[in-house]
Amino acid sequence: AQVGKGRHLKKVMLDNDGREWVFYVGGLTLYGSKHYLKGNYEYLVQQGKHLLLGTLHGKLMAYDTVNDRFTELAVPGGIRQINDMIALGNRQVLVATERGIAWVDMLSQKVTLRSVQTPEQPSPAVKKMFVDGRHRLWIFTESPGVQMFAKGMDTPRWMQTPPTIDPSYTRSKTFFI
């Protein structure tokens, strides 16, 4: 759909406070405000009164809902691709990148990069993530297998899956994890 001055609409997302975020090809706007951000934004995750917005090309922007202010976050390690973003706990957002997982503390706005590479799982690229009911993080990469990361662990634990099975999908009505 074409919206406004030549902008093509990609999607509209609501944050936890009911604000409408309109994603366009080449930009993002908060409906009913003067805010417009240039970039290929694809992700939005809210933690309390803070939102994290991410582009496909590695740019992270924090939005403070109380002060109505955007802050671009410094991204470590030359990250150039974001594949997924999820909330963890009550103040962290995890960002799946081609270099590992970027852990974002929404209160301090500190970003740290953690590698998921192991001898069994040589790919640094994280494609998808999932947090289960026990707050364990499941990590899907380009390599066969899945990794599990839980509180108190220094490194993720790798679990092998047959290379012909896509572990992110299942035929049952419940997740296999």
Side-chain angles (χ1 to χ4, degrees), residues 52-68:
L52 186 64
L53 304 158
T55 69
L56 294 173
H57 305 294
K59 183 177 178 180
L60 294 174
M61 188 72 72
Y63 176 66
D64 181 343
T65 63
V66 174
N67 298 310
D68 191 34

Side-chain angles (χ1 to χ4, degrees), residues 32 43 47 74 90 119 170:
Y43 304 101
Q47 285 287 42
N90 59 3
T170 178

